[in-house]
Amino acid sequence: RFIASALIFFVLFFFVCTPKKYDLKEGAVAHETIWATRDVVDEVRTQERRETAAAKTEIQYIYSNVKQDVLASLASAFEELQSIQRYGEQLRTSEPGRGDRFTEDEIEYATIEYLNSVPLSGNQIRILMKTNTDDFETMVKIVTNAVSIKMNSNLYEGQTEDLIKEMVEDFNAYYPELDIEMRMNDIIPTILRECIRPNYIIDTEATERARSEAMDSVDPVTILQGEPVIIEGNTITYAQ
């Protein structure tokens, strides 16, 4: 009789204490509300909050004084372009009445002989070849001075194109003495893209470390015993 009673007690205890099992399918609609039988960590919401914290972390930068390197690169680029300009001027002055017309062979020669680092198109080279010396030197002076001033400010990695756009707008607005064809045919922006470098570079390690610390600072989201895990009528997710 004792054994029978113990067996009955065990069976009753098993059914009372064993949590109800549910046949859940992702994407299905819950037919009843399911309650947490114990405290559990909501891994999905916890990860979402950690990723949000990481995304809000400011990017870390390292300062690098690149001004002199930028100005040296700019001077080198202008030397290349001036060689092309002088070649065109030589052709124009050597043949009276020639004007600003250049053959494709002359354009090709200028490209091969003088162009090394600045990626100019044939049309841009043609414009350089028909530019007079005074206009070219004016352009060099204005652009060099503008770059020198800008490189004294904070230029962050990823913002170079915005700076170039701003500089070109200033050239168009405040420097009418700049040769219009030099401005309108993208020669100046092309030079700037080749020479300007940011003086604040992204510190990848420091940025990742800050993001990791931000994620670690987020407390786990806990579903307490007795709180709903799935609510009747809601769609069942993979995490649930």
Side-chain angles (χ1 to χ4, degrees):
R1 178 177 297 180
F2 174 78
I3 296 176
S5 299
L7 181 61
I8 293 172
F9 176 80
F10 175 78
V11 171
L12 291 174
F13 180 83
F14 176 81
F15 281 107
V16 170
C17 297
T18 301
K20 181 180 178 180
K21 293 184 178 180
Y22 297 90
D23 183 18
L24 303 178
K25 293 183 179 180
E26 181 183 359
V29 176
H31 297 296
E32 61 179 302
T33 297
I34 300 176
W35 309 89
T37 58
R38 55 185 174 82
D39 293 354
V40 292
V41 174
D42 188 331
E43 299 291 352
V44 173
R45 288 169 59 196
T46 299
Q47 185 62 25
E48 287 176 351
R49 291 188 181 184
R50 286 173 176 167
E51 290 176 356
T52 298
K56 291 180 179 179
T57 304
E58 292 186 359
I59 296 175
Q60 307 296 305
Y61 294 90
I62 300 175
Y63 175 73
S64 176
N65 189 354
V66 297
K67 178 177 179 178
Q68 295 307 317
D69 291 339
V70 168
L71 291 177
S73 177
L74 188 65
S76 178
F78 280 141
E79 285 181 7
E80 285 185 33
L81 271 55
Q82 188 163 42
S83 296
I84 295 173
Q85 182 268 325
R86 286 173 175 170
Y87 170 62
E89 189 172 58
Q90 178 185 353
L91 292 176
R92 287 184 284 111
T93 56
S94 64
E95 299 180 26
R98 174 188 177 112
D100 295 334
R101 297 184 301 274
F102 303 102
T103 66
E104 292 300 322
D105 287 343
E106 289 167 341
I107 299 295
E108 183 179 1
Y109 176 83
T111 303
I112 296 172
E113 185 69 18
Y114 302 114
L115 203 61
N116 294 312
S117 61
V118 185
L120 297 180
S121 67
N123 184 56
Q124 289 172 324
I125 291 174
R126 188 186 304 275
I127 291 168
L128 278 172
M129 290 174 66
K130 71 180 195 177
T131 300
N132 65 56
T133 299
D134 288 343
D135 287 341
F136 183 86
E137 291 179 349
T138 297
M139 183 267 291
V140 171
K141 181 179 178 180
I142 291 173
V143 173
T144 301
N145 184 58
V147 170
S148 179
I149 293 172
K150 290 295 184 182
M151 292 309 299
N152 288 329
S153 60
N154 297 340
L155 177 56
Y156 293 91
E157 183 177 348
Q159 297 179 352
T160 304
E161 194 61 34
D162 290 338
L163 174 67
I164 291 172
K165 181 180 178 181
E166 177 186 321
M167 293 180 69
V168 171
E169 289 175 352
D170 287 346
F171 292 148
N172 291 336
Y174 304 115
Y175 296 95
E177 65 269 34
L178 277 174
D179 183 89
I180 188 166
E181 287 198 286
M182 298 279 279
R183 289 189 279 118
M184 297 304 291
N185 287 275
D186 239 17
I187 293 177
I188 293 175
T190 300
I191 298 169
L192 295 178
R193 289 189 188 97
E194 285 301 304
C195 300
I196 291 182
R197 297 290 179 270
N199 51 23
Y200 278 88
I201 309 299
I202 293 175
D203 187 334
T204 303
E205 290 186 7
T207 300
E208 289 303 317
R209 186 164 56 250
R211 287 175 175 169
S212 179
E213 291 171 355
M215 293 180 72
D216 291 342
S217 69
V218 176
D219 293 328
V221 178
T222 303
I223 301 174
L224 301 177
Q225 181 179 0
E227 290 185 339
V229 178
I230 299 175
I231 299 176
E232 181 181 359
N234 287 357
T235 302
I236 299 171
T237 65
Y238 173 80
Q240 293 170 324

